[in-house]
Amino acid sequence: MEKPCTLLVHFDKGSPSMANEIKADLEGSDVAAKVDAMKRAIMLLLNGETLPHLFITVVRYVLPSEDHTIQKLLLLYLEIVDKRDVASGKVLPEMILICQNLRNNLQHPNEYIRGVTLRFLCRLNEPELLEPLVPSILANLDHRHHFIRRHALSAISAIYRLPHGDQLLPDAPEVVERALTGEQDASARRNAFLMLCACAQERAVAYLLTNAERVAEWPDLLQMAAVDLIRKVCRSPNRADKGRYIKIIISLLSAPNSAVVYESAGALVSLSSAPTAVRAAANTYCQLLSLQSDNNVKLIVLDRLHELRASHRDVMVDVVMDVLRALSSPNVDVRRKVLDLVLDLLTPRNVEEVVMYLKKEVVKTQAGDLEKGGEYRQMLVQAIHSCAVEYPEVAGSVVHLLMDFLGDTNVAAAVDVVLFVREIIETNPKLRVSMIQRLIDTFYQIRASRVCSCALWILGEYSLSLSEVESAISTIKQCLGDLPFYTVSEEGESTDASKPAQPVVNSVTVSSRRPVVLADGTYATQSAATETAISSPAVAPGSLSSTQNLRSLILSGDFFLAAVVACTLTKLVLRLEEVQPSKAEANKASTGALLIMVSILQLGQSSYLPHPIDNDSYDRIVLCVRLLCNTGDDVRKVWLQSCRQSFTKMLAEKQFRETEEMKAKAQISHAQPDDLIDFYHLKSRRGMSQLELEDAVQDDLKAATGEFTKDADDANRLNRILQLTGFSDPVYAEAYVTVHHYDIVLDVTVINRTKETLQNLCLELATMGDLKLVDRPQNYTLAPESSKQIRANIKVSSTETGVIFGNIVYETSNVMERSVVVLNDIHIDIMDYISPATCADVAFRNMWAEFEWENKVAVNTVIQDEKEFLDHIIKSTNMKCLTPPSALDGECGFIAANLYAKSVFGEDALVNISVEKQADGKLSGYIRIRSKTQGIALSLGDKITLKQKGGSSFQEKPRSKPFRNNAEELEAMQRSDTARRLHPAQDSFPIAKESAVIP
């Protein structure tokens, strides 16, 4: 076994010749050679070498040296050298030789020699060596230099905390308390106070309460120690002096040190739930948020404010404007957290103020020097959207401003704006007229295809009056330009009907020519051209280059947008026939729309574009042509009413889902009818401050409503206990596994079932996966039929299923060899690290295209109902179904759904389920998992493979063998070919069929 040490340094294995060289250098008089020899000796000892004959040489030739470097290396050597006999466990006799040298160092006239020696004594654990040094240590408490006094107090604290330290220093608390009273140095006072907190808490509390009025004047080191003491004391059931402690904490909220202020605010919230205390803590956090420049500090403070919002939302509402000031930070993560917090604190009283502040921030993003202005603007638009959806009365003050960003170069921000407009125009009928007019005026600025599609849908659905319909049709025609989209010339010259007579300044003409054979057998040149204006203020809004956005997108091959144009024109013409008294005007508009659709079809079937029109767009445009030629009442009703009704239903369902999610997040409290309630109102209020009265009221309310809940009940605790050995083994062991966010704690109970004493018992653990054992194993002695609690900490670095395996090794007096008991494996489930989460469909699709790791699992289950199978997968994987229930209704024998979850490490897990019911009743299909890292894709795939086979009647079979060999587990963990990296072009999103093939 490797011996425990403070440092592991790689070094070559020692040899007798190397030891002799070190010995020779130490015996010489060259100081530099001695320093080098001591360094080599220390490195060899740290690397596991013993060097048993070197100690006497060190005592003879190194101890008398006056060089400070050699003395420091000597103390390092003495710290790591073996001081006890391995067989007997007693201190080696030659170790007594160093006591005199240490005593001389403690009385040395040089302060540095005294200080480093006292610091070395803090790491010495042998009472036989410390006992003769105690008088010299105590004498250093009165030294004139604070460096000596500081380390003397640390040495006294370390010695007193040894197993028999109270026998070496029986009056240590009294001595330290006297030293604390007269000490002036901040570090020395802190060391003395920490010693009292650890070894004599009553004396520390008495000192704190005696100097309660002067705590605000203490140095920051001592103030931090006082805050820690108050937290520790207030965890005890006796809360008689709680009010005095809270007064001390409140006085520290105005301390000059930011760390003290932060810790005091956290301690105040943990001590009291009174509104006054919570408000003071919230204001303190807001001050730190505005004063600190470090983004990491801002993120930590925002996390604390989020915690306050979860338990004290009513108080946090009052500081929402103070939180908003943190948007001045240029960091995107800070801004995102601020907006998330503010959106959770909206009320009818502050929503107008919040929206006005966000509106000013949107205006600031128009400045070109703002870092990541497009991304920040997108976040602001989403925040304003949420405000307007929850409180529709504020939409009118911001919607017109946001519509100026429909042509934003940041496509994501422009998409958010147009979606916001689409929802507001439905939920706020009073704004419809002004929003339609504004959309018509700004439509020519839109450059993104998706934004154009949504804006066209809005124009087709909400243009109701005669003037609105005519303006919408005119705008669309202007953005399409002159027809046809391309011309054929027998002379071979390229012409474009949309090209103006005068050349456009700052424009680029993109054209393509190719020879074609005409019907009469002659040759001609087919050409198409469009002009794209380079951004220049000299280009007028009415010019060709700035208005023909639809023409540019369609000529680039976007026939989906062309189909949307055809549908929009069809709706507008149908509505024009209803509102236009003149039938001739309606027929004229219908003829113009038909001409546009035919031109689009002609362009799509021409050989000019590299890719012809797709079948879906072609069928859609042809359907629009047929509708305009012959329209029935039923078809007219579908096109003019049903589409809008479906959108209204979708919004209502979305609002219902959000309401249900808010109810699910609400804390559910249960109180038993016979629970005891201590009514402070009926007690004497003499001597109680207002803060204590408020705190008492809050405690009564929590007790009455059942908010005081246990962290975990006994049943759940029993479910987390794992049996590690068999009942017939000489050593029985079981573990209670506690999974935190970034670490795993194993509380292992080891029971000696024999009649013999087990010596050098050691719990040896090893991990597989992204798990790392933090603590090194220690040896224990276990009496007959006794038990021992052993705690092991394991660090988790990623969301991946890991395995912990190991054994228990021990010795007995009868058997010379060591005995080994193999432990059962502990499997760390991925479900402990992921939780259901929600995200927008746009974000899901973007992540699906970006993530490069995919795990494809074939459906293999006995479940025959596709919806039951989907519910089973959701329950087994602890994920959230993003597909709305309305999309899953009906019986069609096929189901496609998207699931989403987020890990505690911030990793995203995306799952797409595509299942079809076969003729024989069985389900077939695939479950595709995508993630940014390989571990979560592998682990989630294994979980789905294990759990997908059955529904409610399926139970996981217990292991037939008590112990599993590690070869089988190793083979399962190392199958890295299950999740493959996707090709960059393989980013298609599955809708109803498999569209991506793993290479």
Side-chain angles (χ1 to χ4, degrees):
M1 285 181 55
E2 295 183 5
K3 299 175 183 177
C5 63
T6 58
L7 181 66
L8 285 177
V9 180
H10 172 72
F11 199 72
D12 294 334
K13 187 177 177 68
S15 61
S17 60
M18 185 180 293
N20 293 332
E21 292 176 4
I22 294 174
K23 185 176 180 181
D25 291 339
L26 293 178
E27 292 176 353
S29 59
D30 188 1
V31 175
K34 281 189 176 183
V35 170
D36 183 65
M38 287 297 295
K39 289 181 179 180
R40 284 184 289 162
I42 291 172
M43 297 181 99
L44 285 174
L45 288 173
L46 290 175
N47 205 39
E49 301 292 335
T50 56
L51 304 178
H53 304 294
L54 191 64
F55 181 76
I56 299 300
T57 304
V58 171
V59 172
R60 292 180 59 189
Y61 297 99
V62 179
L63 279 181
S65 176
E66 293 293 334
D67 186 77
H68 289 183
T69 304
I70 293 180
Q71 287 294 323
K72 183 176 181 179
L73 292 173
L74 172 64
L75 294 177
L76 291 175
Y77 171 82
L78 295 177
E79 181 182 345
I80 63 177
V81 73
D82 290 332
K83 306 176 190 64
R84 294 184 179 272
D85 184 29
V86 179
S88 62
K90 297 182 179 179
V91 177
L92 294 173
E94 57 266 26
M95 288 296 157
I96 303 299
L97 298 174
I98 67 172
C99 288
Q100 183 60 38
N101 177 265
L102 293 176
R103 186 185 297 110
N104 293 338
N105 285 349
L106 292 176
Q107 299 170 359
H108 200 280
N110 186 277
E111 289 85 357
Y112 176 77
I113 297 296
R114 285 199 186 195
V116 295
T117 305
L118 288 168
R119 188 163 54 189
F120 162 73
L121 295 179
C122 296
R123 303 179 180 91
L124 203 59
N125 299 324
E126 287 71 27
E128 296 86 348
L129 302 179
L130 291 170
E131 185 176 4
L133 304 176
V134 170
S136 300
I137 296 173
L138 294 176
N140 281 291
L141 289 177
D142 299 325
H143 195 275
R144 60 180 178 82
H145 202 285
H146 60 83
F147 180 76
I148 308 299
R149 301 195 303 271
R150 180 190 310 165
H151 289 295
L153 288 167
S154 299
I156 292 174
S157 175
I159 295 172
Y160 190 78
R161 282 184 289 182
L162 291 175
H164 301 287
D166 54 347
Q167 299 178 7
L168 297 175
L169 287 168
D171 58 344
E174 293 87 347
V175 173
V176 172
E177 187 176 9
R178 287 198 301 270
L180 176 61
T181 305
E183 185 58 58
Q184 297 298 324
D185 180 65
S187 298
R189 293 174 68 185
R190 189 270 309 269
N191 292 347
F193 190 77
L194 289 178
M195 187 272 175
L196 294 179
C197 292
C199 306
Q201 186 171 304
E202 298 81 5
R203 294 179 180 270
V205 170
Y207 178 80
L208 176 63
L209 295 179
T210 303
N211 298 273
E213 302 297 332
R214 295 188 294 273
V215 171
E217 303 172 0
W218 284 1
D220 52 359
L221 295 175
L222 197 56
Q223 288 176 343
M224 292 287 286
V227 173
D228 292 337
L229 174 64
I230 292 174
R231 280 180 169 171
K232 186 186 300 183
V233 170
C234 289
R235 291 194 187 103
S236 59
N238 184 15
R239 304 189 304 173
D241 295 327
K242 181 179 177 181
R244 301 180 64 182
Y245 295 134
I246 292 178
K247 289 180 181 178
I248 296 175
I249 292 294
I250 292 179
S251 67
L252 292 178
L253 292 179
S254 57
N257 186 273
S258 300
V260 175
V261 173
Y262 172 78
E263 293 294 335
S264 301
L268 182 60
V269 175
S270 63
L271 293 180
S272 173
S273 58
T276 304
V278 176
R279 189 174 295 108
N283 290 329
T284 302
Y285 284 139
C286 292
Q287 291 176 6
L288 291 174
L289 199 59
S290 59
L291 296 178
Q292 295 298 315
S293 59
D294 191 346
N295 292 326
N296 294 320
V297 175
K298 290 178 180 290
L299 292 173
I300 293 173
V301 172
L302 285 170
D303 288 337
R304 302 291 83 77
L305 288 173
H306 272 282
E307 295 174 0
L308 282 182
R309 189 267 312 161
S311 54
H312 305 282
R313 186 180 184 276
D314 295 339
V315 179
M316 285 294 298
V317 166
D318 298 333
V319 298
V320 64
M321 296 308 299
D322 297 329
V323 175
L324 271 176
R325 294 191 183 94
L327 289 176
S328 59
S329 172
N331 186 268
V332 176
D333 295 328
V334 173
R335 288 169 167 172
R336 183 177 291 108
K337 280 204 170 190
V338 169
L339 292 175
D340 292 341
L341 177 60
V342 169
L343 292 180
D344 290 334
L345 298 175
L346 289 178
T347 62
R349 292 184 302 165
N350 61 19
V351 63
E352 291 186 4
E353 201 172 359
V354 170
V355 169
M356 290 303 297
Y357 193 95
L358 297 179
K359 183 178 177 181
K360 294 178 181 178
E361 291 295 314
V362 171
V363 175
K364 291 180 183 178
T365 59
Q366 293 177 312
D369 57 345
L370 191 64
E371 183 182 359
K372 294 185 178 180
E375 185 177 356
Y376 181 40
R377 182 160 56 247
Q378 181 183 359
M379 290 190 295
L380 291 172
V381 170
Q382 292 173 351
I384 294 175
H385 187 179
S386 301
C387 296
V389 170
E390 190 172 356
Y391 299 97
E393 61 272 10
V394 301
S397 59
V398 292
V399 65
H400 295 92
L401 172 66
L402 294 183
M403 291 181 73
D404 291 335
F405 297 98
L406 287 173
D408 198 342
T409 55
N410 185 357
V411 178
V415 169
D416 289 332
V417 171
V418 76
L419 294 179
F420 170 68
V421 172
R422 185 182 66 174
E423 188 167 349
I424 295 302
I425 202 171
E426 169 62 29
T427 56
N428 292 264
K430 297 180 180 179
L431 301 175
R432 186 194 61 80
V433 176
S434 59
M435 291 177 66
I436 286 293
Q437 187 59 45
R438 184 71 172 176
L439 181 59
I440 292 173
D441 294 339
T442 58
F443 186 82
Y444 70 92
Q445 300 175 358
I446 302 175
R447 290 292 179 266
S449 174
R450 189 175 177 193
V451 181
C452 278
S453 301
C454 191
L456 288 170
W457 185 89
I458 296 173
L459 290 177
E461 289 294 335
Y462 296 96
S463 297
L464 304 180
S465 65
L466 176 61
S467 59
E468 292 172 350
V469 173
E470 291 178 344
S471 299
I473 294 176
S474 175
T475 300
I476 295 174
K477 287 184 177 180
Q478 184 182 4
C479 292
L480 287 172
D482 296 334
L483 300 178
F485 290 99
Y486 71 96
T487 60
V488 178
S489 174
E490 293 188 11
E491 291 80 7
E493 296 181 357
S494 174
T495 59
D496 183 12
S498 64
K499 189 172 182 179
Q502 298 296 329
V504 180
V505 181
N506 293 335
S507 65
V508 178
T509 302
V510 182
S511 62
S512 176
R513 301 183 181 186
R514 63 186 69 189
V516 295
V517 180
L518 298 179
D520 56 358
T522 59
Y523 288 93
T525 300
Q526 176 178 287
S527 65
T530 181
E531 294 195 7
T532 303
I534 301 176
S535 58
S536 173
V539 180
S543 65
L544 169 71
S545 58
S546 62
T547 58
Q548 296 183 4
N549 51 347
L550 291 180
R551 186 183 187 90
S552 302
L553 293 171
I554 293 175
L555 285 176
S556 66
D558 190 352
F559 286 103
F560 175 80
L561 177 61
V564 175
V565 171
C567 294
T568 303
L569 288 174
T570 303
K571 292 180 182 178
L572 292 173
V573 170
L574 294 178
R575 186 163 284 114
L576 184 63
E577 293 176 355
E578 293 183 352
V579 298
Q580 176 60 261
S582 173
K583 193 172 183 180
E585 292 295 332
N587 291 336
K588 183 179 178 181
S590 177
T591 304
L594 288 172
L595 181 59
I596 292 173
M597 297 177 197
V598 172
S599 300
I600 293 174
L601 292 175
Q602 184 183 11
L603 174 66
Q605 293 178 337
S606 68
S607 58
Y608 158 65
L609 296 178
H611 300 289
I613 186 172
D614 57 284
N615 294 332
D616 292 339
S617 300
Y618 179 84
D619 294 341
R620 191 71 170 169
I621 297 174
V622 170
L623 175 63
C624 294
V625 172
R626 291 177 178 174
L627 287 177
L628 291 181
C629 294
N630 186 12
T631 306
D633 294 338
D634 295 336
V635 176
R636 185 185 299 272
K637 181 179 179 181
V638 169
W639 279 72
L640 297 182
Q641 298 180 15
S642 300
C643 296
R644 187 171 174 182
Q645 292 173 358
S646 299
F647 178 63
T648 304
K649 183 179 179 182
M650 186 191 77
L651 291 181
E653 184 176 341
K654 177 184 175 183
Q655 186 176 3
F656 175 76
R657 289 205 314 270
E658 293 175 351
T659 305
E660 291 297 321
E661 289 177 2
M662 293 179 60
K663 291 181 180 179
K665 290 181 181 179
Q667 183 178 2
I668 301 176
S669 303
H670 298 286
Q672 298 298 326
D674 56 347
D675 286 348
L676 178 64
I677 301 177
D678 190 4
F679 289 98
Y680 282 84
H681 309 74
L682 304 180
K683 293 185 177 181
S684 174
R685 301 189 179 187
R686 183 177 303 172
M688 295 181 66
S689 63
Q690 181 64 28
L691 185 60
E692 292 177 284
L693 292 175
E694 292 181 7
D695 201 25
V697 172
Q698 293 296 320
D699 290 347
D700 290 346
L701 291 175
K702 289 182 178 180
T705 57
E707 193 170 335
F708 290 132
T709 56
K710 297 181 180 179
D711 294 336
D713 56 86
D714 296 336
N716 291 333
R717 188 176 178 87
L718 290 174
N719 292 333
R720 310 288 296 186
I721 294 178
L722 303 176
Q723 182 180 345
L724 301 181
T725 63
F727 292 110
S728 60
D729 289 317
V731 176
Y732 175 78
E734 63 182 19
Y736 175 70
V737 184
T738 305
V739 179
H740 300 292
H741 281 183
Y742 299 100
D743 64 333
I744 300 171
V745 180
L746 297 181
D747 291 313
V748 183
T749 304
V750 180
I751 302 176
N752 180 8
R753 306 190 64 193
T754 65
K755 301 294 183 180
E756 301 176 350
T757 300
L758 305 182
Q759 301 176 352
N760 295 328
L761 184 143
C762 179
L763 174 65
E764 297 179 348
L765 298 175
T767 60
M768 185 178 297
D770 285 341
L771 305 176
K772 181 180 178 181
L773 192 63
V774 177
D775 299 329
R776 304 186 62 83
Q778 298 182 6
N779 293 339
Y780 302 94
T781 300
L782 210 56
E785 299 182 352
S786 62
S787 62
K788 180 70 177 177
Q789 295 283 343
I790 303 176
R791 171 167 290 191
N793 293 316
I794 297 173
K795 183 180 179 181
V796 184
S797 56
S798 70
T799 310
E800 182 177 353
T801 298
V803 180
I804 304 171
F805 55 91
N807 48 53
I808 295 177
V809 183
Y810 61 91
E811 298 175 355
T812 59
S813 57
N814 298 333
V815 182
M816 299 302 296
E817 297 181 356
R818 307 186 75 183
S819 302
V820 179
V821 177
V822 181
L823 304 179
N824 198 5
D825 298 342
I826 301 175
H827 293 256
I828 305 302
D829 196 353
I830 187 179
M831 295 299 105
D832 295 325
Y833 299 106
I834 66 173
S835 57
T838 58
C839 71
D841 292 339
V842 177
F844 188 93
R845 291 174 182 269
N846 292 337
M847 288 187 291
W848 187 271
E850 293 172 2
F851 290 171
E852 58 180 356
W853 287 103
E854 178 180 274
N855 193 355
K856 188 175 180 181
V857 180
V859 174
N860 182 18
T861 179
V862 297
I863 303 175
Q864 295 187 353
D865 184 74
E866 57 270 19
K867 291 183 180 178
E868 181 184 351
F869 178 75
L870 175 62
D871 295 337
H872 176 66
I873 294 297
I874 293 173
K875 182 178 179 182
S876 302
T877 58
N878 195 27
M879 302 188 76
K880 173 76 173 178
C881 182
L882 299 182
T883 306
S886 59
L888 302 176
D889 291 340
E891 298 292 338
C892 61
F894 182 86
I895 196 168
N898 298 326
L899 310 182
Y900 178 70
K902 205 172 185 67
S903 72
V904 296
F905 304 100
E907 300 169 320
D908 300 288
L910 313 179
V911 174
N912 173 261
I913 300 178
S914 183
V915 181
E916 184 178 6
K917 194 169 187 177
Q918 301 294 332
D920 57 357
K922 294 184 179 180
L923 298 180
S924 65
Y926 290 97
I927 302 172
R928 297 169 62 189
I929 307 158
R930 286 199 182 183
S931 63
K932 202 169 187 178
T933 57
Q934 183 186 21
I936 192 170
L938 277 174
S939 303
L940 201 54
D942 294 342
K943 187 71 175 179
I944 292 176
T945 303
L946 178 66
K947 293 289 187 180
Q948 71 165 326
K949 295 208 171 180
S952 57
S953 61
F954 174 76
Q955 293 183 353
E956 186 178 348
K957 294 182 179 179
R959 295 177 182 172
S960 57
K961 296 181 295 180
F963 312 113
R964 291 183 57 184
N965 57 344
N966 294 329
E968 179 183 352
E969 194 63 44
L970 185 61
E971 179 183 358
M973 293 295 296
Q974 290 181 343
R975 54 190 192 288
S976 60
D977 57 342
T978 304
R980 303 287 184 88
R981 285 185 183 269
L982 298 172
H983 191 273
Q986 183 188 332
D987 57 357
S988 56
F989 184 79
I991 300 297
K993 59 182 180 180
E994 286 295 318
S995 58
V997 180
I998 298 179

